[in-house]
Amino acid sequence: PGLICAVIGTLTNKRIIYSEGNLSPWVDLYLGGSHLSFLQRITRLMHLAIGKHIAALADAVRVQSSLIKAGMIKHGIDSDKILIIGGGVDTDVYCPQEGLNLLSKEFKIGFVGRLTEEKGVLLLTQVLEEALKKVPYARFYILGDGPYRNILESYSNVEHIGAVPKSQLNQWLAQLHCVLFFQKDIGLAEIESMAAGKVIVALNSEGTSKVITDLNNGVLCDSDANDYIRCIEKLYADKPLCLRLSINARKYAVDNFSWEIVAQQWLTVI
């Protein structure tokens, strides 16, 4: 559909902005390296070819992150065309709420997203296993659905909430002390969580580290379950740190991803 629109736009002498918010097919999504099937590889090559054609026809290419930009440049897209505009968040909807008890003996940890390998669910299962032994006070709330649901539901320290409508996400986030993420880049779920004043515990990657500064507006971890557990222990033991990270996460989201900021960036491109 994107290529059809670009061709029609070209034939009718319209200006074209190509917007790309997905890492795939420009960047390998998997933490342990790509392990795609033959059919998936063919599909990825097809998506690459289509994306390159759309970019060639476009007057400007908007990408959601520096990681996508780097992937596009690697695949031959003209870097002069590419502009980074993050995902916009309604910071009036996604906002801190009263009622979270930092002194609670139970530490509530969330995961938001599809339960798939590219979202880092395999690493999440390792974290859950280690948590049972090392942080028994941790309770994990899974806000999402997907093929790994049955495996996650088998852990005694997990409450599987399932897919949560956008209209209810902020209410669920309000009940959590921190949120774990395992992707190579910052997506909307991470930004929404930051806007809600949640402490983000994220994978230390090229894309994520552009937004999260360790122990300033979030926490960065290696691709290792024990490192995530170490961060959970630190947050549980240091409540003032939790509060400071929460405040800074909210401020960063408002200053960089509120629609007032993002809309102006879009208007500049247009």
Side-chain angles (χ1 to χ4, degrees):
L3 181 57
I4 292 171
C5 289
V7 170
I8 292 173
T10 301
L11 293 175
T12 56
N13 197 31
K14 305 296 182 186
R15 296 283 185 175
I16 300 166
I17 299 175
Y18 170 23
S19 177
E20 179 62 271
N22 297 311
L23 285 177
S24 179
W26 311 103
V27 179
D28 183 9
L29 299 175
Y30 297 93
L31 296 182
S34 181
H35 48 280
L36 302 176
S37 66
F38 176 75
L39 181 59
Q40 288 173 321
R41 290 179 188 277
I42 295 298
T43 303
R44 183 172 182 270
L45 288 173
M46 181 183 71
H47 288 169
L48 273 173
I50 292 172
K52 288 180 180 180
H53 278 88
I54 298 173
L57 295 172
D59 296 280
V61 180
R62 170 266 174 182
V63 297
Q64 189 161 295
S65 72
S66 60
L67 194 58
I68 299 174
K69 179 177 180 176
M72 281 191 156
I73 293 172
K74 181 180 177 180
H75 286 95
I77 307 302
D78 183 359
S79 61
D80 291 336
K81 282 187 176 182
I82 304 175
L83 302 154
I84 301 173
I85 301 177
V89 173
D90 188 334
T91 52
D92 291 328
V93 172
Y94 294 95
C95 56
Q97 295 187 1
E98 298 292 335
L100 182 61
N101 182 10
L102 286 174
L103 300 178
S104 169
K105 292 184 178 180
E106 184 178 69
F107 200 60
K108 297 181 178 181
I109 303 168
F111 173 85
V112 183
R114 288 271 302 157
L115 307 183
T116 57
E117 285 187 51
E118 59 266 28
K119 295 292 187 181
V121 171
L122 294 181
L123 181 52
L124 172 60
T125 59
Q126 296 171 18
V127 171
L128 295 174
E129 289 176 6
E130 291 299 316
L132 285 169
K133 297 178 285 186
K134 298 178 179 178
V135 285
Y137 49 79
R139 189 75 182 163
F140 295 83
Y141 294 78
I142 310 299
L143 309 181
D145 222 330
Y148 281 86
R149 172 175 179 165
N150 291 339
I151 295 175
L152 294 178
E153 284 182 332
S154 66
Y155 289 95
S156 60
N157 55 351
V158 165
E159 288 192 30
H160 182 264
I161 308 303
V164 175
K166 285 287 186 182
S167 60
Q168 299 176 18
L169 181 56
N170 193 65
Q171 285 72 25
W172 280 105
L173 289 172
Q175 302 175 42
L176 306 174
H177 293 97
C178 69
V179 186
L180 306 186
F181 290 101
F182 306 93
Q183 296 182 105
K184 292 182 176 181
D185 204 2
I186 291 291
L188 270 179
E190 289 90 330
I191 298 168
E192 289 164 350
S193 298
M194 292 178 75
K198 297 297 104 178
V199 179
I200 303 295
V201 183
L203 182 71
N204 189 2
S205 66
E206 179 185 349
T208 306
S209 61
K210 297 287 186 182
V211 174
I212 302 294
T213 304
D214 191 37
L215 299 182
N216 178 37
N217 63 349
V219 182
L220 293 174
C221 294
D222 295 332
S223 181
D224 177 78
N226 286 313
D227 200 35
Y228 273 85
I229 294 297
R230 178 188 62 79
C231 292
I232 291 170
E233 290 174 328
K234 183 176 182 63
L235 292 171
Y236 181 74
D238 194 342
K239 300 303 189 295
L241 173 64
C242 262
L243 182 59
R244 178 168 61 83
L245 294 178
S246 170
I247 293 169
N248 289 349
R250 166 68 181 178
K251 184 178 186 306
Y252 190 91
V254 170
D255 290 347
N256 293 274
F257 298 109
S258 63
W259 271 116
E260 288 80 3
I261 302 296
V262 174
Q264 188 57 53
Q265 293 172 341
W266 270 102
L267 287 172
T268 301
V269 176
I270 293 169

